[in-house]
Amino acid sequence: MGEENISFLAVWIILGNIFVTFSSVPEATTDTVFVSTSPLPPTAEWLTNYTDIVSKFSLRTADIPDDDMCYIVAGRPETIKECEFNSETQTFVVIHGWTVTGMFESWVPKLVSALYEREPTANVIVVDWLTRANQHYPTSAAYTKLVGRDVAKFVTWLQKELQLPWGRIHLLGYSLGAHVAGIAGDLTDHKISRITGLDPAGPTFEHADDQSTLSRDDAQFVDVLHTNTRGSPDRSIGIQRPVGHIDIYPNGGTFQPGCDIQNTLLGIALEGIKGLQNMDQLVKCSHERSIHLFIDSLLNTQQQSMAYRCNSKEAFNKGLCLNCRKNRCNKLGYNINKVRTARSTKMYLKTRDMMPYKVFHYQVKVHFFSKDRLSFTEQPMKISLYGTHGEKNDISSVLPVLNGNSTLSFLITTDVDIGDLMIVKMRWEKDTIISWSNWWGSSKFHIRKLRIKSGETQSKVIFSPKEGEFAYLVRGGEDAVFVKSKEDKMSRKEKLMHKLKMQGSLFGQNDA
């Protein structure tokens, strides 16, 4: 066996050890650890009993975001003053998830710093439940009920002690921490303003009741990012079902760009032996992307990612959902518009593989004519966009079906702000499999026009062939070139309203 095969075997042995914890989850739930399942006392006295609080609450600072320098202790008002808590501003409570190492992960100080960068006078409190989170997964999952009670008691005590407006309390929970936040919100004697769930954990929670998980009833507004929902229900790392007022599924929610095995293994290999300690990144990369997308929304305020309401990721990938009317689009992350509807709203978007994650979404709608009865599957296309601000060449797209005399709609994205779209080029690449049609018959389509809609600007533009009535799309041939023909009529009022909305004046600022 060669060295390459040995190293790859080592990779999968380590991965197997990580995954086995998840695969055994359904058999064990609260039986693994003692968690009282008896109903809570009919009075609220349990909320004021602080003797059984195990979790610790540190007020971190912008100067030292990676260390717990000062703990606020429920029932001890002097600790509020000692930690220099600011009662006049926003309070964020950050709750971590399951941990293999028993230590805070590197994302914690990054999120703390980003929150302070955005809200310099805020209080950022980090919940330390590491001893309970560093157990076999089912044990830690069961502990979320006790940790949720700790957080509920702490938040309620702090609010009463300082008469804090509930509207200034925002819980942010990652993985198991998202369910801790939900349980805490369910138990407080007043609704918390906002809970953000960052890829809430899936195993043991996919089919659990609302009192045991994050749910839309746990705060006045609950927004959720789903970034790692691959696999069958209850065995996917992140929860698959919607659990908030708005549930956003970046890149379909199953898997995130840049988190493929090749990229991760390359990074690990470059670090040598030390890299083996980071094998869990293969599992965590997409899971943790939820946090970094939220950090991105805090730091890159001029590059806000937009998500779009859609019934399915398949419809979204066809470009059918790029509509902003009646709250059908929204900002991802900190600046989200707090829309509370009767049912959970599922939203989708594409992102880049690195920060800033924002991309621009376009629906391309095209009718293909052909003299012969042509039919192809999985055809690779390259599309180039040229606008008033910039250009993006050779955007790859694969058309699942390509038939003569049919209309196709598909989604393309670019990380470049090209401004108003002026020219579009389309090229039909040769596929890797040699088709019989390469040997005889025509592989040419006629295109009379393209219709392109921009998600970010809501503009609808028709493009006509640069020369003649038709442009010709030939497999392995030259670019078919289209130029701006006319823009669908959008009233001046509609354009102004959309501009105001995108700049935030209609997005209910300051109620975060």
Side-chain angles (χ1 to χ4, degrees):
M1 186 181 286
E3 287 184 18
E4 185 177 326
N5 289 333
I6 292 172
S7 62
F8 218 85
L9 181 63
V11 164
W12 288 114
I13 288 171
I14 296 169
L15 276 179
N17 289 334
I18 293 170
F19 274 116
V20 76
T21 306
F22 286 102
S23 65
S24 64
V25 161
E27 282 85 39
T29 53
T30 53
D31 297 332
T32 320
V33 60
F34 177 74
V35 176
S36 174
T37 55
S38 59
L40 293 172
T43 65
E45 289 176 10
W46 71 274
L47 265 175
T48 58
N49 175 17
Y50 311 125
T51 58
D52 61 350
I53 293 180
V54 174
S55 308
K56 296 185 285 187
F57 302 85
S58 68
L59 179 58
R60 295 205 179 181
T61 64
D63 297 332
I64 313 174
D66 54 351
D67 256 324
D68 294 332
M69 307 297 289
C70 194
Y71 292 99
I72 300 177
V73 182
R76 291 179 51 193
E78 68 275 12
T79 59
I80 298 174
K81 189 173 182 181
E82 288 167 6
C83 292
E84 299 181 1
F85 184 93
N86 183 350
S87 60
E88 302 298 319
T89 186
Q90 180 84 3
T91 296
F92 299 103
V93 180
V94 176
I95 310 170
H96 65 80
W98 184 53
T99 169
V100 178
T101 63
M103 298 183 291
F104 284 114
E105 294 177 296
S106 60
W107 64 263
V108 175
K110 291 175 184 174
L111 179 55
V112 171
S113 292
L115 288 165
Y116 277 125
E117 180 83 19
R118 187 58 182 274
E119 303 286 355
T121 62
N123 308 290
V124 182
I125 294 171
V126 174
V127 180
D128 175 351
W129 65 287
L130 291 170
T131 54
R132 287 167 164 173
N134 183 29
Q135 307 291 328
H136 189 51
Y137 176 86
T139 307
S140 296
Y143 268 133
T144 55
K145 289 193 174 183
L146 292 179
V147 182
R149 291 179 71 169
D150 286 355
V151 175
K153 289 181 180 185
F154 175 82
V155 169
T156 303
W157 168 75
L158 190 65
Q159 187 277 329
K160 285 182 178 174
E161 196 68 34
L162 299 173
Q163 293 301 300
L164 293 177
W166 282 97
R168 293 206 202 122
I169 299 173
H170 182 175
L171 307 186
L172 301 99
Y174 166 60
S175 194
L176 285 182
H179 298 302
V180 170
I183 292 163
D186 185 51
L187 294 176
T188 51
D189 56 3
H190 190 287
K191 272 204 175 183
I192 287 168
S193 171
R194 180 178 176 187
I195 295 175
T196 296
L198 301 168
D199 210 28
T204 79
F205 296 97
E206 190 71 54
H207 304 294
D209 58 55
D210 285 355
Q211 284 68 46
S212 304
T213 65
L214 177 62
S215 73
R216 52 190 284 114
D217 297 323
D218 296 332
Q220 298 211 15
F221 181 72
V222 178
D223 60 306
V224 185
L225 288 174
H226 301 260
T227 54
N228 194 353
T229 63
R230 177 181 284 184
S232 59
D234 209 43
R235 288 179 184 256
S236 93
I237 293 173
I239 202 165
Q240 295 180 359
R241 63 183 169 94
V243 290
H245 292 100
I246 294 179
D247 289 75
I248 299 178
Y249 295 78
N251 305 294
T254 55
F255 181 77
Q256 301 306 308
C259 290
D260 54 277
I261 288 176
Q262 290 89 338
N263 277 353
T264 313
L265 287 182
L266 180 62
I268 290 166
L270 292 174
E271 294 186 42
I273 296 297
K274 184 184 174 187
L276 288 175
Q277 299 168 4
N278 298 324
M279 281 309 305
D280 59 344
Q281 282 300 323
L282 275 172
V283 176
K284 284 166 45 183
C285 181
S286 288
H287 196 35
E288 200 175 289
R289 181 63 59 84
S290 56
I291 299 165
H292 299 291
L293 286 168
F294 194 87
I295 290 172
D296 185 40
S297 76
L298 290 163
L299 300 180
N300 296 307
T301 55
Q302 299 305 309
Q303 293 170 286
Q304 292 286 327
S305 290
M306 296 296 299
Y308 303 87
R309 192 171 86 194
C310 204
N311 291 329
S312 69
K313 63 183 177 183
E314 290 77 19
F316 182 75
N317 289 337
K318 290 179 180 178
L320 301 177
C321 300
L322 301 184
N323 193 336
C324 283
R325 290 186 178 182
K326 297 182 179 178
N327 295 309
R328 285 191 178 95
C329 72
N330 210 327
K331 296 177 181 178
L332 174 149
Y334 186 59
N335 304 294
I336 196 168
N337 180 22
K338 299 174 187 60
V339 180
R340 290 183 285 271
T341 53
R343 297 172 55 193
S344 297
T345 299
K346 294 178 74 171
M347 307 189 90
Y348 295 85
L349 76 157
K350 297 284 189 179
T351 71
R352 298 201 315 155
D353 60 357
M354 64 183 72
M355 200 178 294
Y357 291 105
K358 178 184 176 68
V359 298
F360 297 83
H361 300 77
Y362 295 92
Q363 176 195 17
V364 180
K365 195 173 182 181
V366 52
H367 189 91
F368 295 94
F369 297 91
S370 64
K371 293 179 181 178
D372 303 311
R373 296 182 64 181
L374 301 178
S375 182
F376 303 90
T377 57
E378 302 296 324
Q379 291 304 299
M381 296 284 170
K382 288 286 176 67
I383 293 131
S384 299
L385 305 178
Y386 302 86
T388 53
H389 294 165
E391 61 187 57
K392 182 71 175 183
N393 290 295
D394 293 338
I395 302 167
S396 295
S397 184
V398 176
L399 304 186
V401 179
L402 183 55
N403 295 326
N405 302 319
S406 64
T407 301
L408 271 186
S409 175
F410 56 96
L411 180 74
I412 60 171
T413 61
T414 167
D415 55 358
V416 176
D417 181 2
I418 61 172
D420 293 335
L421 193 54
M422 305 302 289
I423 300 172
V424 179
K425 293 182 181 179
M426 183 181 291
R427 186 169 72 253
W428 185 6
E429 305 254 275
K430 281 189 177 179
D431 55 17
T432 52
I433 301 170
I434 297 175
S435 167
W436 285 113
S437 58
N438 287 335
W439 299 95
W440 64 72
S442 168
S443 293
K444 181 167 77 172
F445 288 98
H446 302 55
I447 301 172
R448 181 177 279 129
K449 60 187 174 185
L450 305 178
R451 287 185 173 90
I452 297 186
K453 178 175 182 177
S454 163
E456 279 62 33
T457 66
Q458 293 292 286
S459 65
K460 298 175 184 176
V461 186
I462 294 174
F463 287 82
S464 302
K466 186 178 180 182
E467 297 173 0
E469 182 183 359
F470 290 97
Y472 299 97
L473 197 62
V474 181
R475 188 212 295 262
E478 300 294 318
D479 288 336
V481 183
F482 302 86
V483 294
K484 187 175 181 179
S485 172
K486 64 176 181 179
E487 189 171 337
D488 284 5
K489 291 180 180 178
M490 182 189 268
S491 72
R492 188 176 174 185
K493 182 181 178 182
E494 284 179 315
K495 288 181 179 178
L496 178 61
M497 291 294 284
H498 183 73
K499 185 177 180 182
L500 287 170
K501 190 171 184 179
M502 293 303 103
Q503 292 176 348
S505 60
L506 297 182
F507 264 78
Q509 310 136 291
N510 303 323
D511 59 353

